[in-house]
Amino acid sequence: MSETSVAAQPVAVAGRSRVRVPAFVYPVAGFAVTVVVWWLATSVLGLAHPVVLPPPQDVVRGFNENRDFVLEGMLVTSLETLVGFVMSSIAGFLIGLVLASWAVLERMFSPLLVAVNAVPKIAFGPMLVAWLGWGQPPIQFMIFVMCFFPVVLSTVTGLTRTPAELAEMARSLDASRVKMFLKVRLPAALPQVFVGLKLALPLAAVGAIIGEFQAGDAERPGLGSIIQQMLGQGQSNTAFAAFVLIATTTIVLYYLLVGLERLLLPWVRATTDR
């Protein structure tokens, strides 16, 4: 065989082909590991009293004993979280838009926003009952004060950090201020805005639970009210089932938000390393 024919033959490159693991496998594996460690710590090693930390099988039993009651509370808390998150996100985006558009206002009110965010939100609880009574108004207010600040901050950051080359190109094309905002500044800011939204969503769930602790509706209790009620009755297993449902609801809402981000911003994944 001639050297030319040997050189013309394709050379096989040794190496292992990468196996693509479905994305859902990792969260499921993490959940399984957590449950196993939880079971070992409570049922096998006995590191915690069942009243303080019930084992997983007791939590499942507590859920089954009060299934309808707990699931109805999950729906109440999920709706509160979603409504409060949407309202605070819209308000936070509009406030951030105003602050980013006028530097004087940003300098005037940014310290005030930081101060409000630094106040422990649970301290508002007794005052909210006095101001707004019981039920949804104080709960929604608690959600608002918990999660609007990350949205404001991310919106201001995104709108004031437009890449210089994009802004210069828009100016060279004589783009109007409105077109500059809609075609350049807003699309460039949206990834940063979604960072704030993803930070705010878990805080919305926390705000809903704190609000229910302080001013929950006795006729339609959410998971926060159920936790208080079950712990008061010594049923910590059902209370921990409510904790698990809070976490599950937050995870589902979070990944729905991630899916919305991928749907609205397809170029982000195409232009980043991951």
Side-chain angles (χ1 to χ4, degrees), residues 56-268:
Q57 62 270 22
D58 288 356
V59 173
V60 173
R61 187 177 69 252
F63 170 76
N64 290 329
E65 291 173 354
N66 302 275
R67 179 180 303 171
D68 295 338
F69 183 49
V70 175
L71 288 179
E72 184 177 353
M74 183 187 71
L75 292 177
V76 172
T77 301
S78 299
L79 184 59
E80 291 171 350
T81 301
L82 188 59
V83 171
F85 171 72
V86 171
M87 292 174 58
S88 60
S89 297
I90 294 174
F93 178 79
L94 293 177
I95 294 172
L97 178 60
V98 172
L99 295 180
S101 301
W102 196 357
V104 174
L105 286 179
E106 181 185 1
R107 297 191 185 101
M108 288 174 60
F109 293 105
S110 290
L112 179 61
L113 292 175
V114 173
V116 172
N117 187 60
V119 175
K121 308 305 182 296
I122 197 170
F124 288 116
M127 293 183 291
L128 290 180
V129 175
W131 294 340
L132 304 174
W134 301 90
Q136 289 302 307
I139 294 174
Q140 293 300 327
F141 183 84
M142 182 63 71
I143 296 173
F144 182 87
V145 298
M146 284 292 295
C147 66
F148 92 105
F149 182 78
V151 181
V152 173
L153 182 61
S154 63
T155 301
V156 172
T157 303
L159 291 174
T160 56
R161 299 294 186 274
T162 304
E165 60 274 12
L166 293 179
E168 190 64 31
M169 181 182 65
R171 294 190 191 97
S172 66
L173 296 174
D174 293 330
S176 64
R177 189 169 183 178
V178 174
K179 285 188 176 181
M180 169 77 81
F181 175 78
L182 294 177
K183 299 295 185 180
V184 178
R185 294 174 66 87
L186 181 60
L190 284 179
Q192 187 68 38
V193 172
F194 268 95
V195 171
L197 293 176
K198 288 186 284 188
L199 289 173
L201 181 56
L203 294 177
V206 174
I209 298 302
I210 294 176
E212 290 174 357
F213 282 167
Q214 301 291 337
D217 190 349
E219 296 182 358
R220 293 193 63 203
L223 291 177
S225 300
I226 290 174
I227 290 171
Q228 281 187 317
Q229 180 178 340
M230 292 296 106
L231 289 177
Q233 297 174 1
Q235 300 183 39
S236 59
N237 54 352
T238 304
F240 270 85
F243 281 125
V244 173
L245 288 178
I246 293 169
T248 302
T249 301
T250 306
I251 291 171
V252 171
L253 293 177
Y254 180 85
Y255 279 102
L256 287 175
L257 181 61
V258 171
L260 179 63
E261 179 188 17
R262 293 183 177 182
L263 179 65
L264 296 179
L265 310 178
W267 69 87
V268 173

